[in-house]
Each structure stands twice: as structure tokens, then as C-alpha cells.
Amino acid sequence: MHSSLIPIQKLLEHSDVPRKNVLKFSELKILFQKGKLDKSLPEDASIRQLFKEFLAQGEFIEVPISVGVRQEKRYARITLSPYEFALLLRPDSYFSHETALFLNGLVDIEPPTIYVNAEQTPKPPNDRELEQSRIDFAFRLKPRISRSLATFNNRHITLLSGKNTGQLGVIRIKFSGINVHCTNIQRTLIDSAVRPFYSGGVDQVLGAFKTAGSKVSVKRILSMLKSLDYTYPYHQAVGFYLETSGFFTPKQLAPLQELGMEFDFYLCHSIKDKQYSANWRLYYPADLV
């Protein structure tokens, strides 16, 4: 059997899958079966042979995806950039955290890992009341990190499944000649304060707040924090970063404190040498400031 027996474009014309550049194993298998039925593909060819011939044409490559302990495969056009590939892995996804810091011009060096977020379905509100002992225990531990990973064209991709926000603060921008969706400056700074381990660490997050400077609208950050409605008092971390950036007065930041200052909180997990900000009831690494 020769690869010319499987014209790629003709094969994909059979597809009702909206993504023609990244396909699942199951989607390709269905296409091969349809092709055999309508005789556009050899009837006597096995599915394994068809996959082998499909890849031999050199237009698509097989990409392994880790989803926790489960392994999956995707078939992607080799002409895709890692950013295009990342966005096509799951519907309605967008760039966030360190990738969004870079796309928004808040860090200069392109990060080695691409972070792409696809929101979870809406969940019932968490009615569990906070307790100081539970906060202390949670932030003594290392953070839970995503185990959904891929590598494409030597770029690492981390797939995140954030809380449902209705894509709050997600914008469309042009990057490297393609249109992409990513979080805006305000949402990116909030996400980075909430998950600094996806954003290059607290030093880089503070640097991003300083770089953003007067571009930041405290009013918009306040509105977003209210909409995001976190269980933990992440507004204390955001307020600390804004204060430490040096661009805002206590009067400008007072509305953030008015959201509530009932608990001592932490800038990140597993802080070994802590300092305490009385203004924000917040522990932070001693070498940060």
C-alpha cells in the first residue's frame, strides 16, 4: 500500500470535527472507517495500516498527552506552532498565568512552559466556612499542580482546569501572526497571585505587578475579585503585591481591605523563612522585599 492511497485533505473532508489540525485517535479511527465504507480508502486495509500510512505522509505527527496517570494521543499538523497546538487541545481554552504574563508584556523572556486553561463546568458554591487552622495546614503543604501535560516542538505545555468564570477578563490578541485568547492584565495578575507556581514564582509575580504599574485598575481588580468569589482571601495577596509595587496609595487600596481581613493568609505555599505584613495580615518570604 502506498501513502498516495490516503490523500490527507480528502480524508479530512469526511470529518464533521471542527478541529482539522489536531485530532484524537477516536476521531481519526472514525474517519478511516468512513473512508473504507465509501471506498475512498482501501477496503482491505487494517486501521493500524491506515494510521501508519497517515503518519508516513509527514503532514501530521503523533503527540502523547499525559492526563494524570492516563495516556492519550493527539495527531497534529507539523506546521502548527506550539501555541496553536496548545489552544486546540481542548475547546474554549485560553492562555493564562506565566504565558499570559508574557503575552501581556509583563515579563520579557518567553517562558519555557505554555500554560493553557479550559474552565470546569459550574460547581455549586462552597459553603464550608474558613478556619485559621485549615488555612495554616493547607499552606504548609506543597501546592497541588496539574498533571495534564504535553510536549510539542520541544515546548512543554501544562493544561489547567480552572474554576468556571465565564471566561472573565479573557481577551483576543494577535501573537506571532495568529489570533489567540488570553487573560487581560488585571485577570492575569490575579491568577498569578493565586497560583504563583504557574507564574514563575512570587519574585516574578511581584516584578509583573511592578511592570504593570499604572496600567492596573484597582477598581477592575476589585470587581474581578468579587466575581471570582474565592473561598480563600486572595485579595490580601493581591493587595500586598499592589502595595509593594509602589504605585498605589493606602486610600486607593482600602477597598481591597474592606473585602475582609479576618484571617492570617500566605503569599505562597511552604514558606520557610516568613515575614509578616500587618497591613494585609499576610505571611511572605523574607527575601522577597
Side-chain angles (χ1 to χ4, degrees):
M1 183 168 57
H2 301 289
S3 60
S4 59
L5 294 175
I6 310 178
I8 298 292
Q9 291 305 327
K10 189 168 183 179
L11 176 70
L12 294 180
E13 284 169 11
H14 289 83
S15 173
D16 55 3
V17 177
R19 296 167 297 140
K20 297 290 197 302
N21 292 319
V22 177
L23 296 113
K24 297 179 181 178
F25 175 87
S26 58
E27 292 168 339
L28 269 177
K29 187 175 179 180
I30 290 170
L31 293 186
F32 290 143
Q33 289 168 340
K34 286 182 178 179
K36 289 174 70 173
L37 284 174
D38 68 13
K39 304 191 187 311
S40 63
L41 298 179
E43 292 180 75
D44 60 342
S46 68
I47 295 297
R48 179 178 292 182
Q49 285 176 312
L50 291 173
F51 265 101
K52 186 177 178 181
E53 289 292 324
F54 175 74
L55 292 174
Q57 293 186 29
E59 290 192 38
F60 283 76
I61 57 171
E62 187 176 85
V63 185
I65 308 286
S66 298
V67 184
V69 296
R70 193 173 77 251
Q71 295 292 315
E72 299 179 0
K73 292 176 182 177
R74 295 291 186 275
Y75 297 87
R77 285 192 188 275
I78 61 172
T79 54
L80 290 176
S81 75
Y83 291 92
E84 289 175 297
F85 173 76
L87 282 180
L88 288 169
L89 284 172
R90 296 180 297 182
D92 300 319
S93 55
Y94 54 86
F95 296 122
S96 64
H97 297 85
E98 192 173 21
T99 303
L101 288 175
F102 175 68
L103 294 176
N104 280 293
L106 301 180
V107 295
D108 294 328
I109 299 173
E110 187 171 5
T113 298
I114 295 172
Y115 293 94
V116 62
N117 184 33
E119 296 184 357
Q120 302 172 36
T121 55
K123 301 284 192 299
N126 185 356
D127 295 328
R128 193 174 183 181
E129 290 192 9
L130 275 182
E131 295 177 10
Q132 187 65 60
S133 60
R134 287 178 177 166
I135 296 173
D136 295 339
F137 178 75
F139 279 83
R140 274 201 299 270
L141 304 174
K142 291 184 178 180
R144 289 182 296 176
I145 60 173
S146 172
R147 295 172 65 196
S148 296
L149 310 168
T151 300
F152 185 74
N153 283 352
N154 298 317
R155 294 294 300 279
H156 298 298
I157 298 165
T158 296
L159 307 172
L160 306 177
S161 298
K163 69 180 289 184
N164 188 280
T165 72
Q167 298 211 346
L168 179 70
V170 175
I171 58 174
R172 188 177 183 181
I173 64 170
K174 197 147 195 168
F175 172 69
S176 291
I178 60 172
N179 291 313
V180 300
H181 288 91
C182 75
T183 51
N184 66 14
I185 287 178
Q186 275 75 212
R187 173 69 191 277
T188 300
L189 291 174
I190 291 172
D191 286 348
S192 298
V194 172
R195 300 283 185 267
F197 45 91
Y198 292 145
S199 306
V202 292
D203 291 271
Q204 181 158 283
V205 174
L206 178 57
F209 272 84
K210 290 179 177 179
T211 299
S214 58
K215 296 177 186 175
V216 175
S217 164
V218 175
K219 185 177 180 180
R220 290 181 70 186
I221 278 191
L222 184 67
S223 175
M224 280 189 175
L225 283 167
K226 288 178 179 177
S227 295
L228 291 165
D229 192 27
Y230 288 115
T231 301
Y232 284 128
Y234 286 112
H235 63 279
Q236 293 170 222
V238 172
F240 173 83
Y241 279 120
L242 289 170
E243 178 184 84
T244 309
S245 75
F247 285 91
F248 302 94
T249 66
K251 183 178 179 181
Q252 288 173 303
L253 299 178
L256 285 171
Q257 293 176 319
E258 290 166 8
L259 289 178
M261 302 278 287
E262 299 174 42
F263 300 97
D264 289 333
F265 196 50
Y266 297 81
L267 198 65
C268 57
H269 290 73
S270 306
I271 305 174
K272 292 181 180 178
D273 186 10
K274 299 192 292 279
Q275 289 286 353
Y276 185 72
S277 166
N279 274 358
W280 297 101
R281 292 196 64 177
L282 183 90
Y283 291 104
Y284 62 92
D287 59 356
L288 179 65
V289 179

